[in-house]
Amino acid sequence: MANAGEVTALLKAWSAGGGDALGELEVLVHRELRQMARRLLEGERSGHGWQATDLINESYLRLIGWRGVEWQNRAHFYATAAQMMRRVLVDAARARQSAKRGAGAETVPIDSVRVAAPDPDDEVIALEEALDELAAIALRASQVVELRFFGGFSVAETAEALDVSVRTVMNDWNTARAWLRRRLTCKRSDEQ
């Protein structure tokens, strides 16, 4: 991982309007962002069309578009980057879903319709909604999920990024996984 102090200093300089800081920051964190994107895309369904570079670029454009962000530290940046990557993929899933709901649709007799497996895009969107709910009640636990699941960070890397102990990360990870499992199971039950 990039040096925490150096990343934090560049983030603060960027927040303060230092134009050179953004370029230096990009060089410093690019490798880690690429690793995050690769790990995230490995968990995605095939045929999504995303490459790690595309995901980083789209996320980066969204990040630099934010004005007035008070970057606290490296953990804040990586958690936000992981969240941004997740949102890019969720937006893409929503767009695919929207296209499926009638764009160029043809009439099909009801007798020829087969029941299909759950749509992966539905699952991505359900997870997004559940993580938003979790963030409202347990922000650090949701950050742990974003860094571990979406960012692909190890427990030790997550602890370092969030500046907490490994034990705290494990507790948050276990709590978040149990909460998400219950939430997503209830949501599926409600939809059936």
Side-chain angles (χ1 to χ4, degrees), residues 7 10 37 53 57 60 63 75 82 97 101 125 127 160 172 190:
V7 171
L10 288 171
T53 302
N57 289 342
Y60 188 73
L63 276 173
Q97 244 185 7
R101 290 191 184 121
I125 293 167
L127 179 58
E160 182 183 346
D172 285 345
D190 292 346

Side-chain angles (χ1 to χ4, degrees), residues 24-99:
E24 291 177 45
L25 178 66
E26 182 181 5
V27 170
L28 193 60
V29 300
H30 184 78
R31 192 179 103 234
E32 290 168 2
L33 292 177
R34 179 177 273 300
Q35 289 173 343
M36 286 173 62
R38 278 191 196 133
R39 287 182 281 212
L40 178 56
L41 291 172
E42 285 173 4
E44 283 290 299
R45 70 184 180 118
S46 60
H48 53 70
W50 286 94
Q51 298 292 323
T53 302
D54 298 331
L55 182 55
I56 291 169
N57 289 342
E58 181 64 28
S59 302
Y60 188 73
L61 286 173
R62 292 182 185 196
L63 276 173
I64 62 172
W66 284 9
R67 300 285 182 233
V69 175
E70 294 285 330
W71 295 106
Q72 299 163 11
N73 53 34
R74 183 179 72 170
H76 181 212
F77 175 78
Y78 284 123
T80 303
Q83 182 181 52
M84 198 62 65
M85 288 181 194
R86 176 174 55 98
R87 293 221 168 132
V88 166
L89 293 175
V90 167
D91 289 349
R94 284 188 173 133
R96 284 189 303 269
Q97 244 185 7
S98 177

Side-chain angles (χ1 to χ4, degrees), residues 145-165:
V145 172
E146 287 176 341
L147 290 171
R148 300 253 7 251
F149 185 76
F150 294 102
F153 282 30
S154 69
V155 173
E157 290 170 331
T158 303
E160 182 183 346
L162 294 176
D163 196 27
V164 296
S165 71

